[in-house]
């Protein structure tokens, strides 16, 4: 049996797919399992033993610009994937994705499995429309694989991410330049989030970092994205981090460098605290675990659907803004990771 799983989304979405890949491999150890990913999220599956091949396609648009070379790459890729003659192509999304469905049908699979809400796809002979009564995105994706023998009520294993030696070494080299930092004794507080309501304030970060040093002797790395808040492509945290940069403390060190170093830092940290983001999901796969911050579910991501998975994930939710969270609730969640 040959199966292609299409996953075009962001880093966190790809990570939420890894529990299902493990279950699928356990169910069909002899199957050929391919994942079609884009050049932004494919690395999440580096070294994943549950996948035979990750097929990477370039994004046609990147940083708002059209990449003509990517268009020709797509044409060649379509020809290759037609020749593969997949028994199943699965659109691994928790809801309908018309573009991904059209892409999957173009590969002429024996059967395409997808969520379908509109009428335009319902009567295609190769498409099997799936329905779901689940809340979490990973549970919804799991139900897509019922025709392949997976039970939609099976408990999901934790997400899987291989923290590479290069990522960990980059983090160690950066920590070596910080007198108070150590590879086995620091926590991370992240700032980056699409919505301001889900971000902690500089005052909260300082209070939490001070308490972490006093209670557990752990300095704090603050991960932030450079740039202005109104950047439509990559909202930055310059304004948010400015008070921390203006009054530096030896036990608080901001970092805004490469993503690979950030991932290495997450892999080495004793615990992480992140707003709802891709980095939050990465931290859920780290040994130290994560506290995920959510707020304003009426206008933003619902943690029941998008919360981090696994035994090392804790969710804290505020009604309207992370600023409403009590310090003791945040510190108690960190304590559960530091002293389980």
């Amino acid at each position: 049996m040959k199966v292609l799983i299409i996953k075009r989304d962001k880093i966190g979405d790809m990570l939420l797919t890894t529990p299902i890949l493990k279950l699928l491999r356990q169910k069909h150890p002899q199957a050929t399992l391919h994942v079609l990913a884009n050049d932004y999220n494919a690395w999440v599956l580096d070294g994943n033993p549950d996948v035979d091949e990750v097929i990477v396609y370039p994004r046609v648009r990147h940083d708002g610009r059209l990449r003509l070379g990517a268009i020709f790459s797509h044409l060649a890729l379509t020809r290759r994937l037609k020749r593969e003659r997949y028994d199943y192509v699965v659109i691994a999304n928790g809801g309908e994705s018309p573009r991904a469905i059209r892409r999957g049908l173009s590969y002429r699979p024996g059967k395409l499995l997808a969520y379908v809400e509109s009428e335009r796809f319902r009567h295609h002979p190769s498409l099997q429309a799936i329905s779901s009564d689940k809340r979490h995105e990973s549970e919804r994706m799991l139900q897509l694989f019922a025709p392949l023998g997976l039970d939609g009520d099976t408990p999901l294993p934790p997400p899987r991410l291989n923290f590479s030696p290069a990522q960990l070494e980059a983090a160690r080299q950066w920590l070596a330049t910080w007198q108070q930092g150590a590879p086995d004794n620091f926590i991370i507080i992240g700032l980056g989030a699409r919505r301001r309501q889900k971000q902690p304030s500089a005052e909260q970060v300082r209070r939490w970092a001070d308490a972490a040093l006093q209670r557990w002797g752990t300095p704090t790395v603050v991960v932030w994205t450079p740039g202005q808040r109104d950047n439509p492509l990559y909202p930055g945290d310059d304004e948010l981090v400015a008070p921390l940069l203006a009054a530096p403390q030896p036990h608080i060190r901001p970092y805004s460098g490469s993503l690979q170093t950030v991932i290495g830092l997450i892999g080495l940290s004793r615990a992480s605290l992140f707003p709802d983001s891709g980095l939050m999901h990465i931290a859920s796969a780290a040994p130290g675990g994560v506290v995920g911050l959510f707020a304003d579910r009426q206008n933003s991501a619902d943690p029941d659907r998008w919360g981090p998975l696994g035994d090392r994930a804790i969710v804290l939710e505020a009604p309207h803004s992370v600023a409403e969270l009590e310090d003791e609730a945040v510190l108690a969640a960190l304590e559960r990771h530091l002293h389980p």
Side-chain angles (χ1 to χ4, degrees), residues 7-26:
K7 195 62 185 169
R8 306 167 49 252
D9 303 296
K10 298 174 183 172
I11 292 172
D13 301 80
M14 178 63 86
L15 199 66
L16 289 176
T17 311
T18 59
I20 296 144
L21 295 174
K22 182 175 182 178
L23 293 176
L24 187 61
R25 175 56 74 197
Q26 290 173 345

Side-chain angles (χ1 to χ4, degrees), residues 2-273:
K2 296 182 70 173
V3 181
L4 175 68
I5 298 157
I6 297 179
K7 195 62 185 169
R8 306 167 49 252
D9 303 296
K10 298 174 183 172
I11 292 172
D13 301 80
M14 178 63 86
L15 199 66
L16 289 176
T17 311
T18 59
I20 296 144
L21 295 174
K22 182 175 182 178
L23 293 176
L24 187 61
R25 175 56 74 197
Q26 290 173 345
K27 182 70 175 180
H28 299 287
Q30 303 303 319
T32 298
L33 303 182
H34 293 170
V35 175
L36 180 64
N38 63 45
D39 53 8
Y40 178 71
N41 69 3
W43 65 268
V44 174
L45 298 181
D46 285 350
N48 190 306
D50 302 317
V51 179
D52 293 297
E53 183 181 358
V54 180
I55 302 168
V56 183
Y57 71 89
R59 289 166 289 171
V60 173
R61 289 189 177 274
H62 181 57
D63 288 341
R65 296 189 297 271
L66 186 68
R67 301 194 294 183
L68 293 178
I71 297 175
F72 295 106
S73 296
H74 277 269
L75 294 174
L77 181 62
T78 298
R79 289 194 295 270
R80 179 213 157 163
L81 295 179
K82 285 180 180 178
R83 292 194 300 268
E84 292 284 352
R85 298 185 181 276
Y86 291 105
D87 299 290
Y88 291 94
V89 169
V90 186
I91 309 301
N93 294 76
E96 183 181 277
S97 176
R99 184 181 299 178
I101 291 173
R102 288 192 295 269
R103 183 189 296 273
L105 290 173
S106 73
Y107 304 147
R108 300 176 183 171
K111 186 69 69 175
L112 186 136
L113 308 177
Y115 285 112
V116 177
E117 299 165 5
S118 57
E119 289 297 324
R120 54 180 158 169
F121 296 116
R122 287 191 178 276
H123 303 295
H124 194 285
S126 297
L127 193 152
Q128 182 171 343
I130 307 296
S131 61
S132 177
D133 58 358
K134 301 294 184 180
R135 290 294 305 276
H136 197 276
E137 181 73 1
S138 286
E139 295 174 331
R140 293 177 65 82
M141 285 191 287
L142 178 59
Q143 291 197 306
L144 286 165
F145 292 83
L148 282 79
L150 296 190
D151 184 347
D153 294 323
T154 300
L156 289 166
R160 182 187 183 108
L161 181 70
N162 293 320
F163 294 87
S164 73
Q167 292 166 345
L168 298 174
E169 180 58 26
R172 291 189 183 100
Q173 290 182 9
W174 181 79
L175 288 167
T177 68
W178 179 29
Q179 187 175 5
Q180 294 214 7
D184 60 351
N185 189 44
F186 67 96
I187 65 170
I188 294 177
I189 298 176
L191 301 181
R194 286 284 177 181
R195 293 182 177 271
R196 183 66 187 90
Q197 298 96 311
K198 292 189 289 187
Q199 295 178 288
S201 67
E203 292 75 17
Q204 284 177 302
V205 171
R206 196 182 299 279
R207 293 197 306 269
W208 299 342
D210 289 348
L213 184 68
Q214 295 167 4
R215 297 185 185 191
W216 311 303
T218 54
T220 298
V221 173
V222 178
V223 174
W224 62 288
T225 303
Q228 300 301 311
R229 180 69 201 167
D230 58 0
N231 186 321
L233 295 176
Y234 301 102
D237 306 314
D238 285 357
E239 180 181 355
L240 187 57
V241 80
L244 298 175
L245 298 176
Q249 298 292 322
H251 64 287
I252 304 174
R253 190 173 185 189
Y255 182 79
S256 62
S258 76
L259 176 62
Q260 297 306 304
T261 301
V262 170
I263 294 166
L265 289 168
I266 292 172
L268 294 174
S269 68
R270 290 184 61 188
S272 298
L273 188 152

Side-chain angles (χ1 to χ4, degrees), residues 200-201 203-205 207-208 211 215-216 273 291 293-294 315-334:
S201 67
E203 292 75 17
Q204 284 177 302
V205 171
R207 293 197 306 269
W208 299 342
R215 297 185 185 191
W216 311 303
L273 188 152
V291 178
L293 304 180
F294 286 79
V315 169
L316 294 180
E317 183 181 9
H320 304 102
S321 171
V322 165
E324 300 168 336
L325 291 176
E326 298 288 340
D327 288 352
E328 280 306 315
V330 174
L331 296 170
L334 285 171

